[in-house]
């Protein structure tokens, strides 16, 4: 529902004056629900006798601030999304429940004072139990750290209990006097001396505090961006202000969190998908009350109510996980910029492969553009080489060159990372006699074979079935996998390199809670020499002993119709390459392709990401594509193909000022889970034109006879046209 609802405030509820942001209980139909006051007026255009009254004012600790309410309204306005749903999606679930909320006071762990006996225990741990010792140190270096933080860092309850049983640590109520964290916030021990490049950036950010500005730190992986974030935060924290840090996937990269924990001895609140409802609310509250100095979280952390926010940092600003891809389709980075503007504070974006949008804003001087050209410390930049698959004997997707390089790397006692962005055993199976292909009926796409569990799974809708013993078409038993996924690569590698241990990291192998942390630990303990993985392995991990990275199949992205596919391919390639040779050992990156002469690949490999990006930006400018124009994508689907098409077409009958339509066209995945899907792109020269056009379209839709026969959704600034 797009509209708001009006209630009266009965006499007995009028004192103290009701405020914007208050949570109230209101009658809604036959139910009672939570409402949030977002506007008040002395007069009303409705028949007052019909306007219902607020039932209860909750008046607890959880009212929203005026600033948060207006920020959420801004977001709703920007995305033309129903304002109620924006509140719904951005608030912790418990705030939308009528039941009384009782939060137990936040608890934190402390180290006990060391006497001789305890010192002896700690010394013993240092020698015998490295994990427990690391946990002990994490706790001892803090004046109170929560179980949520420790858990996110990858420690287990068993380790915690072990330390507790030895009486080395104790749990206590967190002292939540707001802003008591100025003293001793900084652990000087591990603060690094900035390079002059870094120092310039830190002082530019320092000089811009307390007013809006946007900084891009453009620097290769390992160039010291995180160190710049850390040192930029010092002045903000010393000023009694809070810092919000957004990272793509915190659970995947506990190392980053660890750096923050080690540097600042301040209360840090976390916000990510690994928290339960109460933990989420606790984060929200500690942010609002100011007892948390730093909030670190994934995209939706942008909605936490930090009322003394002084700086926002977005790490890996190009990462597509910052964009929510269903219902309220917001971009965490863009909303963060909106928020910084609203609060008049600086925001820092960091990436080794900035998105073209951001890069364009930096190049035109809209953002402050900072580059870190060299890797910090001693390590060298990894070298990327193309391997022409047409010129090679290929066995199980591995070229002769690659196999040779893997052997050499293993002989030196170093690790190898093999990147293949396809999970499962094979992306299809077919009959070798009649060429029958196992396809999902609901999506018209091949089933992926998952051999270990003996299932065919549709990666688009999740449907699954047992692998048939014979071909349903001709009865032949010669059914074979087509193509290769990570599961198959893993088992092939076991055959080729029987003396080495192989680990696979993808969504399937890390489904179990805690499994990913365990596998990552095993990698850094060098239990495995060969690392096989999808996207998950490309993100933010530090593998100092990986000196060879291979991208097995880069070709898919070269021929996509989505103009963003090549941008994403380039980012992924550079990010994967960034995993190699982080320490002083030089790294090598091999990229296998059947199209090594493709101009995109050539440019990227020989001239680097920035040359590639400049080139692509020039092309986009000529083709009038974003970021030089502004797009919205209207998606529609229904059980019958004619409905969504007709629906979208009817909207294109009237021209819209300053806008052009592309479509309607069938979506790249025309059928998914039994629904037929169509796209209509609206493209405008200015954001204003786009905004006005969408308002017109929405009013057309509300009068459209098909609006209830199709399911439609609106995506402003879409980043993925494939679905
Ligand atoms: P990024 O965030 O760009 O990947 P990091 O800040 O993580 O880079 O730095 C990469 C490595 O270099 C880290 O191990 C870090 O400790 C080290 N490093 C960063 N800045 C410096 C510096 N000024 N002096 C020495 N080492 C540094
Ligand atoms: Zn057959
Ligand atoms: Zn399907």
């Amino acid at each position: 529902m797009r509209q708001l609802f009006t209630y009266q405030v009965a006499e007995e509820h009028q004192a103290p004056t009701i405020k914007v942001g208050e949570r109230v209980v209101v009658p809604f139909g036959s139910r009672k629900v939570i409402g949030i006051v977002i506007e008040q007026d002395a007069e009303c255009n409705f028949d007052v006798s019909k306007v219902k009254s607020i039932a209860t004012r909750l008046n607890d600790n959880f009212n929203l601030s005026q600033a948060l309410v207006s920020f959420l309204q801004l977001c709703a306005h920007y995305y033309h999304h129903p304002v109620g749903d924006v509140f719904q999606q951005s608030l912790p679930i418990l705030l939308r429940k009528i039941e009384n909320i009782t939060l137990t006071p936040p608890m934190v762990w402390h180290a006990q004072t060391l006497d001789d006996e305890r010192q002896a225990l700690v010394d013993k741990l240092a020698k015998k139990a490295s994990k427990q010792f690391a946990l002990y140190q994490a706790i001892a270096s803090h004046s109170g750290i929560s179980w949520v933080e420790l858990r996110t860092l990858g420690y287990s309850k068993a380790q915690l209990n072990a330390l507790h049983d030895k009486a080395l640590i104790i749990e206590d109520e967190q002292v939540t006097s707001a802003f008591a964290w100025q003293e001793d916030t900084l652990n000087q021990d591990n603060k690094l001396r900035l390079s002059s490049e870094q120092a310039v950036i830190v002082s530019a950010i320092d000089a811009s505090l307390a007013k809006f500005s946007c900084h891009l730190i453009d620097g290769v992986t390992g160039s010291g961006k995180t160190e710049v974030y850390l040192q930029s935060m010092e002045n903000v924290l010393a000023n009694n202000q809070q810092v919000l840090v957004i990272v793509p996937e915190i659970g995947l990269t506990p190392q980053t969190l660890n750096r923050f924990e080690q540097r600042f001895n301040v209360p840090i609140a976390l916000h990510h998908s690994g928290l339960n409802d109460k933990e989420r609310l606790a984060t929200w509250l500690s942010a609002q009350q100011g007892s948390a100095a730093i909030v670190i979280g994934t995209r939706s952390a942008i909605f936490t109510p930090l009322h003394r926010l002084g700086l926002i940092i977005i790490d890996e600003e190009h990462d597509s996980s910052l964009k929510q891809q269903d219902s309220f389709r917001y971009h965490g980075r863009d909303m963060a910029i909106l928020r910084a503007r609203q609060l008049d504070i600086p925001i820092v974006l960091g990436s080794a492969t900035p998105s073209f949008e951001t890069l364009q804003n930096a190049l035109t001087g809209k953002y402050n553009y900072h580059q870190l050209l060299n890797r910090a410390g001693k390590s060298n930049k990894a070298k990327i080489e193309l391997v022409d698959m047409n010129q090679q004997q290929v066995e199980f997707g591995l070229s002769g060159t690659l196999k040779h390089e893997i052997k050499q790397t293993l002989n030196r006692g170093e690790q190898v990372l093999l990147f293949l962005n396809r999970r499962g055993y094979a992306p299809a199976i077919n009959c070798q006699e009649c060429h029958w292909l196992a396809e999902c009926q609901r999506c018209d796409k091949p089933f992926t074979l998952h051999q270990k569990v003996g299932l065919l799974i549709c990666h688009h809708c999740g449907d699954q079935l047992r692998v048939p013993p014979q071909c349903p078409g001709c009865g032949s038993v010669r059914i074979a996998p087509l193509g290769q996924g990570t599961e198959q690569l893993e088992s092939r590698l076991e055959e080729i390199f029987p003396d080495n241990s192989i680990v696979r990291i993808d969504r399937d192998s890390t489904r179990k809670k805690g499994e990913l942390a365990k596998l990552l630990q095993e990698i850094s303990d060098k239990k495995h020499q060969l690392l096989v993985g999808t996207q998950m392995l490309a993100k933010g991990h530090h593998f100092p002993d990986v000196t060879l990275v291979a991208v097995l199949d880069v070709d898919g992205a070269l021929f996509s119709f989505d103009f963003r596919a090549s941008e994403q391919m380039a980012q992924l390639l550079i990010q994967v390459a960034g995993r190699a040779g982080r320490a002083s050992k030089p790294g090598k990156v091999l990229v296998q392709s059947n199209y090594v002469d493709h101009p995109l690949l050539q440019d990227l490999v020989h001239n680097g990401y920035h040359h590639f990006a400049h080139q692509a930006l020039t092309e986009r400018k000529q083709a009038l594509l974003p970021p030089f124009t502004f797009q919205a994508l209207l998606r529609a689907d229904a059980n019958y193909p004619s409905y969504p098409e007709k629906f979208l077409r009817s909207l294109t009958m009237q021209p819209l000022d300053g806008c052009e339509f592309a479509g309607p066209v069938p979506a790249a995945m025309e059928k998914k889970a039994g629904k037929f899907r169509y796209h209509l792109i609206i493209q405008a020269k200015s954001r204003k034109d786009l905004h006005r056009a969408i308002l017109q379209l929405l009013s057309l839709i509300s009068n459209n006879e098909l609006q209830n026969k199709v399911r439609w959704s609106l995506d402003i600034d879409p980043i993925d046209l494939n679905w």
Side-chain angles (χ1 to χ4, degrees):
M1 278 182 286
R2 294 193 161 259
Q3 81 264 41
L4 299 170
F5 294 86
T6 301
Y7 288 88
Q8 12 191 348
V9 188
E11 198 77 46
E12 73 264 28
H13 285 147
Q14 283 179 3
T17 320
I18 204 157
K19 282 209 215 62
V20 166
E22 264 193 58
R23 291 164 65 247
V24 294
V25 179
V26 294
F28 192 83
S30 57
R31 297 180 299 150
K32 287 222 165 110
V33 297
I34 291 280
I36 291 165
V37 179
I38 68 168
E39 234 178 79
Q40 49 179 324
D41 233 320
E43 280 163 41
C44 164
N45 294 331
F46 304 111
D47 174 0
V48 176
S49 65
K50 294 213 178 110
V51 176
K52 293 184 184 170
S53 290
I54 284 172
T56 323
R57 288 174 66 180
L58 289 173
N59 261 332
D60 50 19
N61 279 328
F62 303 104
N63 289 338
L64 279 57
S65 67
Q66 167 88 49
L68 184 64
V69 170
S70 49
F71 174 59
L72 295 179
Q73 285 180 294
L74 276 177
C75 296
H77 179 78
Y78 184 94
Y79 287 109
H80 295 275
H81 195 76
V83 73
D85 197 46
V86 171
F87 277 74
Q88 168 102 346
Q89 295 208 29
S90 56
L91 294 177
I93 218 162
L94 289 177
L95 290 189
R96 297 160 0 213
K97 299 229 165 106
I98 292 187
E99 295 88 74
N100 263 338
I101 308 169
T102 42
L103 280 186
T104 43
M107 303 296 281
V108 285
W109 288 93
H110 298 274
Q112 299 272 37
T113 332
L114 283 182
D115 52 21
D116 288 351
E117 204 178 322
R118 290 201 180 104
Q119 184 64 56
L121 275 172
V122 171
D123 292 344
K124 210 163 126 199
L125 286 181
K127 289 200 202 87
K128 297 242 169 75
S130 59
K131 261 289 182 176
Q132 275 183 44
F133 181 63
L135 173 57
Y136 176 77
Q137 285 186 307
I139 296 171
S141 64
H142 255 270
S143 56
I145 182 165
S146 69
W147 164 235
V148 171
E149 285 163 275
L150 294 168
R151 190 180 74 205
T152 310
L153 287 169
Y155 296 106
S156 71
K157 200 89 198 195
Q159 290 156 352
L160 193 76
N161 289 340
L163 291 182
H164 192 217
D165 290 346
K166 297 189 177 83
L168 288 172
I169 55 169
I170 184 169
E171 197 177 24
D172 251 333
E173 240 178 71
Q174 185 177 38
V175 190
T176 52
S177 63
F179 304 107
W181 33 264
Q182 304 97 311
E183 321 268 308
D184 303 326
T185 54
L186 197 61
N187 293 326
Q188 293 284 352
D189 313 351
N190 41 34
K191 183 171 163 179
L192 300 168
R193 244 195 82 188
L194 295 177
S195 68
S196 53
E197 264 185 328
Q198 288 173 314
V200 169
I201 307 178
V202 171
S203 34
I205 296 169
D206 277 352
S208 73
L209 295 182
K211 56 179 185 290
F212 171 72
S213 61
C214 187
H215 299 264
L216 169 63
I217 308 179
D218 178 347
V220 295
T221 316
S223 61
K225 296 183 295 295
T226 309
E227 190 60 35
V228 172
Y229 305 152
L230 290 165
Q231 302 211 15
S232 306
M233 291 164 65
E234 283 176 23
N235 275 339
V236 181
L237 294 172
N239 248 342
N240 292 340
Q241 287 185 302
Q242 297 166 298
V243 180
L244 173 63
V245 182
I246 309 268
V247 292
E249 271 152 276
I250 223 171
L252 291 184
T253 54
Q255 295 102 321
T256 309
L257 174 61
N258 206 12
R259 298 262 301 271
F260 287 85
E261 290 284 2
Q262 284 177 358
R263 184 66 56 87
F264 298 110
N265 185 12
V266 297
I268 295 182
L270 300 182
H271 174 103
H272 59 85
S273 59
L275 306 189
N276 64 35
D277 292 343
K278 281 214 163 160
E279 290 167 342
R280 260 162 208 266
L281 186 60
T283 290
W284 195 89
L285 193 63
S286 64
Q288 160 135 316
Q289 296 183 335
S291 52
I294 303 175
V295 172
I296 305 182
T298 44
R299 66 171 178 251
S300 53
I302 184 60
F303 302 121
T304 36
L306 299 129
H307 77 124
R308 296 189 55 116
L309 188 56
L311 176 68
I312 305 179
I313 293 167
I314 313 277
D315 192 25
E316 311 289 358
E317 68 81 33
H318 67 279
D319 197 286
S320 59
S321 71
L322 284 168
K323 171 106 192 219
Q324 176 146 310
Q325 296 285 19
D326 55 18
S327 60
F328 176 30
R329 296 163 195 264
Y330 65 95
H331 200 299
R333 174 199 62 217
D334 297 344
M335 289 308 96
I337 294 173
L338 202 70
R339 189 157 185 205
R341 197 185 286 279
Q342 181 206 18
L343 298 178
D344 216 13
I345 57 169
I347 175 167
V348 175
L349 313 177
S351 174
T353 52
S355 66
F356 289 3
E357 274 81 6
T358 298
L359 199 58
Q360 177 63 16
N361 283 325
L363 292 170
T364 55
K366 205 168 147 196
Y367 297 170
N368 299 291
Y369 190 19
H370 311 286
Q371 274 180 292
L372 285 173
L373 296 171
N374 302 305
R375 279 199 178 187
K378 282 195 229 62
S379 72
N380 297 312
K381 203 166 159 179
K383 196 163 175 289
I384 304 185
E385 288 168 26
L386 291 172
V387 179
D388 185 350
M389 297 297 271
N390 296 311
Q391 306 287 331
Q392 297 257 344
Q393 269 211 334
V394 178
E395 188 191 9
F396 309 128
L398 305 174
S399 61
T401 306
L402 177 54
K403 262 190 291 186
H404 176 74
E405 290 284 348
I406 294 177
K407 278 190 197 123
Q408 299 237 308
T409 311
L410 294 176
N411 285 342
R412 289 196 304 271
E414 293 159 8
Q415 291 169 312
V416 178
L417 190 165
L418 298 167
F419 177 81
L420 180 63
N421 214 7
R422 219 165 27 227
R423 64 194 172 87
Y425 190 85
I429 64 163
N430 81 344
C431 167
Q432 310 220 288
E433 299 198 18
C434 75
H435 302 297
W436 164 83
L437 184 72
E439 271 187 324
C440 170
Q441 298 292 316
R442 304 169 69 211
C443 304
D444 292 347
K445 292 275 175 192
F447 276 113
T448 300
L449 171 63
H450 289 250
Q451 185 126 301
K452 282 214 173 112
V453 288
L455 290 175
L456 294 175
I457 302 178
C458 173
H459 282 193
H460 305 287
C461 71
D463 247 20
Q464 41 180 261
L465 47 104
R466 302 240 126 241
V467 179
Q470 14 172 227
C471 169
C474 70
S476 161
V477 290
R478 289 181 56 214
I479 300 184
L482 269 183
Q484 194 180 34
T486 45
E487 189 185 317
Q488 185 177 168
L489 180 60
E490 180 190 21
S491 64
R492 299 298 188 195
L493 288 169
E494 278 163 5
E495 292 167 28
I496 309 175
F497 302 101
D499 300 332
N500 295 101
S501 172
I502 300 158
V503 65
R504 169 166 60 100
I505 301 229
D506 58 24
R507 233 179 329 137
D508 300 318
S509 73
T510 57
R511 200 145 291 183
K512 217 172 82 195
K513 212 174 149 194
E515 193 67 12
L516 178 66
K518 181 175 143 244
L519 295 180
L520 290 174
Q521 186 60 42
E522 290 177 6
I523 294 174
S524 69
D525 294 344
K526 299 199 75 173
K527 284 207 181 113
H528 311 286
Q529 292 79 51
L530 286 154
L531 290 43
V532 171
T534 55
Q535 295 244 27
M536 265 181 133
L537 260 190
K539 287 190 181 171
H541 307 289
H542 302 228
F543 300 122
D545 287 304
V546 169
T547 55
L548 175 65
V549 169
V551 178
L552 263 60
D553 180 10
V554 77
D555 293 342
L558 294 175
F559 301 100
S560 170
F561 78 102
D562 185 343
F563 68 92
R564 278 196 179 79
S566 60
E567 174 182 349
Q568 280 153 8
M569 179 270 293
Q571 287 164 347
L572 192 61
L573 212 63
I574 302 292
Q575 295 285 340
V576 184
R579 306 298 124 224
R582 299 251 333 179
S584 49
K585 295 171 194 156
K588 187 181 241 187
V589 182
L590 294 182
V591 177
Q592 300 191 141
S593 171
N594 282 300
Y595 306 91
V596 288
D597 294 329
H598 196 288
L600 288 179
L601 273 184
Q602 286 290 331
D603 189 25
L604 185 62
V605 168
H606 296 296
N607 306 321
Y609 182 78
H610 289 84
H611 189 274
F612 173 87
H614 289 207
Q615 202 72 11
L617 277 169
T618 312
E619 279 168 28
R620 289 216 198 154
K621 189 171 188 177
Q622 282 159 359
L624 296 177
L625 287 169
F628 302 94
T629 51
F630 302 87
Q631 290 186 338
L633 172 59
L634 195 57
R635 295 179 170 88
D637 67 37
N639 293 326
Y640 302 98
S642 61
Y643 285 174
E645 198 197 350
K646 217 168 128 198
F647 169 72
L648 292 176
R649 189 168 302 288
S650 70
L651 302 176
T652 63
M653 290 307 150
Q654 281 178 32
L656 296 172
D657 270 0
C659 287
E660 278 174 16
F661 291 113
V665 290
M669 251 198 82
E670 184 173 354
K671 200 173 150 200
K672 183 174 172 180
K675 303 256 193 222
F676 292 88
R677 313 158 77 227
Y678 277 74
H679 284 178
L680 175 67
I681 289 176
I682 302 104
Q683 182 167 303
K685 288 199 200 74
S686 74
R687 186 157 295 283
K688 236 185 187 162
D689 286 337
L690 185 68
H691 193 80
R692 196 185 45 235
I694 299 296
L695 287 177
Q696 277 170 279
L697 280 181
L698 288 174
S699 98
L700 282 179
I701 290 175
S702 65
N703 297 318
N704 192 295
E705 52 178 9
L706 281 170
Q707 66 149 319
N708 294 322
K709 296 218 169 75
V710 299
R711 203 171 50 174
W712 63 272
S713 66
L714 184 61
D715 190 352
I716 307 285
D717 310 330
I719 60 167
D720 190 344
L721 305 181
N722 275 309
W723 42 291

